[in-house]
Amino acid sequence: MDRIRNSSTSRRTLLKACTALVVAVTVPVTVGTPAFAAVPASPAVTYTNAIAEQRADPHIFKHTDGYYYFTATVPAYDRIVLRRATTIQGLTSAAETTIWTKHATGTMGGYIWAPEIHFIDGKWYIYFAAGDANDIWHIRPYVLECADANPITGTWTEKGRIALPLDTFSLDATTFAVNGTRYLAWAQNDPAVGPGTNIYLAQMSSPWSITGTPVMLSRPTAAWETAGGETVNEGPAVLQRNGKVFLTFSASATDSNYCMGMLTASASADLLNVSSWAKSTGPVFATFAATSQYGPGHNQFTVSEDGKSDILVYHDRGYKDITGSPLDDPNRRTRVQKIYWNADGTPNFGIPVSDGLTPVRFSSFNYPDRYIRHWEYRAKIEANVTNLADSQFRVVTGLTGSGTVSLESANFPGYYLRHKNYELWVEKNDGTATFQDDASFTRRAGLADSAGVSFESYNFPGRYIRHYDGLLQLQPLSTSLDQQDATYYAE
């Protein structure tokens, strides 16, 4: 990860800033020929976290009927619940219905974990893990089926247990299809391999049965997969894009050590050949203390309301220290945030962002592959920002009050984009009126494209945030190039 540190670079004097300003206005030369951007294919979407308190192992499915369907593990581990809403945010206040309750005796009478809802061949299916009433740790995967249009009011029938070749602790079953072939992925213990759980994959012959011999895709061996004294790979989830299949999974103990790893394969490869998959060398999503997000994991994926953005769905906790077993702590909560994509076609999950409004990125109008980002606290535009959070900002009510906005750093909460000597920096709010004024802007329709956005200074009206030689400046605008340099798209 790129590291932001205190800069020892001396501040430019006001005289130098003014001189640079004159040059910028009178000689608006930029190296290279910019390629003017179209409106981004994946415009900004924002949500307010958490989506649901005390709901772990979340799964949100967007159906063709216009509804999002949401299910998750409840703290009592005794039932399966469903909500639906026409927006992801609407799930927060949506009524919740219990559609199935654990058995009083026998199988499916113990812990009920990690339900997922899928729509396959015209019917609804819920995959979940359950223990036995007389042995709550006899965890195995099971399936429910509903043929009605509305799964909340419809009738659910038990299709029974998914028969696996190995009759051992197994959970977190999920299903997906690639090139017309449906697969089941799950986590399971194999005593012959060692303690803990591994990720397995098999082809399916029906929505409740597999065929052929499963393959073990991942075994937890690295330190980041075994932290907290647990040997864990679990919670597989699949995202497909750019001709690739990305299978994320959760690793380590279910406390602050919990994190996400990822396997990657070509969509045209033999997915049942373990050599087709490459494993991340470290976690792709992990605890981030600065935003007070601990143990993010057991994720799934959905899409935004406009269908143009991939959305990460996951749970975490808002505190690090847990008393007793993590299983007895009820406060894992469901959260969402947008996924961005690296230049090489791989997903970039960034960091688990702060509670509240999710951040956005701002791409340059005339250099569409470049984003506003901070480096050593200096604001600039740059391409290929793999340290995603450096280029994410929360657009909040301006520090000077309503009518303005302020841009808060995603990975440095409490730090804002502010101008100083007509340069843009990311600095901590010191509570002074000067800082509040310098960090407040009037959001305008994009000066070069009304579909974009431009930011006018609150305390220097007529001056806008624009890039010049790759750095962000606060300048008056007099040419069309100036306006282009001061126009950005929210993504």
Side-chain angles (χ1 to χ4, degrees), residues 293-465:
Q293 307 302 321
Y294 298 92
H298 201 111
N299 74 287
Q300 275 292 341
F301 303 103
T302 189
V303 295
S304 59
E305 288 76 4
D306 61 9
K308 297 179 180 179
S309 295
D310 294 300
I311 305 296
L312 174 66
V313 183
Y314 65 100
H315 74 233
D316 75 2
R317 292 184 178 89
Y319 50 87
K320 180 179 180 180
D321 297 325
I322 299 172
T323 301
S325 168
L327 274 179
D328 296 328
D329 183 293
N331 293 319
R332 291 177 293 178
R333 67 270 176 88
T334 295
R335 309 179 87 250
V336 298
Q337 60 191 70
K338 179 172 175 170
I339 299 168
Y340 292 87
W341 293 86
N342 296 317
D344 65 358
T346 58
N348 193 325
F349 304 107
I351 61 170
V353 299
S354 296
D355 286 347
L357 193 67
T358 56
V360 301
R361 304 176 84 191
F362 292 100
S363 60
S364 167
F365 167 80
N366 46 1
Y367 289 88
D369 65 336
R370 302 184 191 183
Y371 292 84
I372 293 178
R373 66 89 55 93
H374 57 85
W375 169 248
E376 295 185 337
Y377 301 123
R378 184 67 167 95
K380 58 194 299 187
I381 61 167
E382 195 167 81
N384 300 321
V385 186
T386 56
N387 185 18
L388 177 67
D390 280 0
S391 63
Q392 290 181 293
F393 296 87
R394 296 209 300 178
V395 183
V396 299
T397 300
L399 298 180
T400 57
S402 61
T404 62
V405 297
S406 293
L407 304 182
E408 184 182 15
S409 168
N411 51 353
F412 282 77
Y415 284 65
Y416 295 83
L417 193 67
R418 62 87 56 97
H419 64 81
K420 182 166 57 178
N421 295 337
Y422 302 128
E423 299 173 345
L424 274 295
W425 295 79
V426 170
E427 294 187 348
K428 187 176 183 179
N429 181 8
D430 61 11
T432 64
T434 297
F435 185 96
Q436 293 172 353
D437 291 350
D438 290 350
S440 295
F441 303 89
T442 302
R443 184 170 183 159
R444 306 290 190 194
L447 299 175
D449 181 355
S450 61
V453 60
S454 295
F455 294 100
E456 183 181 10
S457 170
Y458 167 76
N459 52 353
F460 285 89
R463 290 180 181 264
Y464 289 78
I465 297 175

Side-chain angles (χ1 to χ4, degrees), residues 59-366:
H59 188 261
I60 298 176
F61 174 78
K62 187 181 183 185
H63 190 42
T64 54
D65 64 1
Y67 283 96
Y68 287 92
Y69 291 86
F70 167 58
T71 187
T73 301
V74 301
Y77 306 128
D78 63 349
R79 63 192 187 275
I80 296 175
V81 297
L82 274 180
R83 306 182 193 185
R84 76 172 185 173
T86 56
T87 65
I88 293 174
Q89 197 68 61
L91 294 170
T92 300
S93 58
E96 189 170 83
T97 299
T98 297
I99 58 96
W100 184 89
T101 303
K102 73 176 183 179
H103 293 185
T105 60
T107 59
M108 293 183 279
Y111 284 142
I112 307 301
W113 287 346
E116 291 191 9
I117 184 166
H118 296 263
F119 191 77
I120 304 169
D121 297 333
K123 294 182 180 180
W124 294 99
Y125 293 90
I126 286 180
Y127 297 80
F128 66 102
D132 296 345
N134 62 346
D135 184 359
I136 59 175
W137 293 103
H138 191 262
I139 303 292
R140 301 293 187 273
Y142 296 86
V143 182
L144 304 177
E145 181 187 70
C146 175
D148 298 302
N150 185 344
I152 293 180
T153 59
T155 300
W156 287 90
T157 58
E158 297 174 359
K159 303 304 290 185
R161 176 176 156 186
I162 300 176
L164 302 175
L166 191 62
D167 184 18
T168 59
F169 183 87
S170 43
L171 69 166
D172 296 348
T174 191
T175 182
F176 62 98
V178 178
N179 296 325
T181 299
R182 181 161 293 280
Y183 298 90
L184 186 80
W186 71 96
Q188 187 167 13
N189 169 254
D190 182 351
V193 175
T197 52
N198 318 305
I199 300 295
Y200 293 86
L201 184 69
Q203 190 172 334
M204 301 189 79
S205 55
S206 77
W208 56 88
S209 58
I210 66 169
T211 184
T213 303
V215 59
M216 184 176 74
L217 296 185
S218 180
R219 166 77 182 155
T221 56
W224 60 271
E225 298 173 286
T226 58
E230 300 289 345
T231 306
V232 171
N233 280 178
E234 64 183 18
V238 170
L239 179 64
Q240 300 182 57
R241 188 162 170 173
N242 303 323
K244 296 179 181 179
V245 181
F246 305 99
L247 188 152
T248 58
F249 59 91
S250 298
S252 291
T254 54
D255 51 19
S256 62
N257 292 295
Y258 210 48
C259 61
M260 280 168 46
M262 187 171 73
L263 301 170
T264 303
S266 169
S268 61
D270 177 6
L271 299 184
L272 293 174
N273 184 340
V274 66
S275 65
S276 297
W277 297 87
K279 189 175 186 176
S280 59
T281 56
V284 294
F285 199 60
T287 287
F288 200 78
T291 56
S292 300
Q293 307 302 321
Y294 298 92
H298 201 111
N299 74 287
Q300 275 292 341
F301 303 103
T302 189
V303 295
S304 59
E305 288 76 4
D306 61 9
K308 297 179 180 179
S309 295
D310 294 300
I311 305 296
L312 174 66
V313 183
Y314 65 100
H315 74 233
D316 75 2
R317 292 184 178 89
Y319 50 87
K320 180 179 180 180
D321 297 325
I322 299 172
T323 301
S325 168
L327 274 179
D328 296 328
D329 183 293
N331 293 319
R332 291 177 293 178
R333 67 270 176 88
T334 295
R335 309 179 87 250
V336 298
Q337 60 191 70
K338 179 172 175 170
I339 299 168
Y340 292 87
W341 293 86
N342 296 317
D344 65 358
T346 58
N348 193 325
F349 304 107
I351 61 170
V353 299
S354 296
D355 286 347
L357 193 67
T358 56
V360 301
R361 304 176 84 191
F362 292 100
S363 60
S364 167
F365 167 80
N366 46 1

Side-chain angles (χ1 to χ4, degrees), residues 12 14-30 422 463 466-469 473-476 478-479 481-482 485:
R12 296 179 184 177
L14 180 60
L15 177 60
K16 289 183 178 180
C18 291
T19 301
L21 175 61
V22 172
V23 172
V25 172
T26 58
V27 189
V29 177
T30 309
Y422 302 128
R463 290 180 181 264
R466 64 88 58 96
H467 64 82
Y468 186 82
D469 284 344
Q473 313 280 352
L474 191 74
Q475 295 185 358
S478 60
T479 70
L481 179 58
D482 294 346
D485 288 351

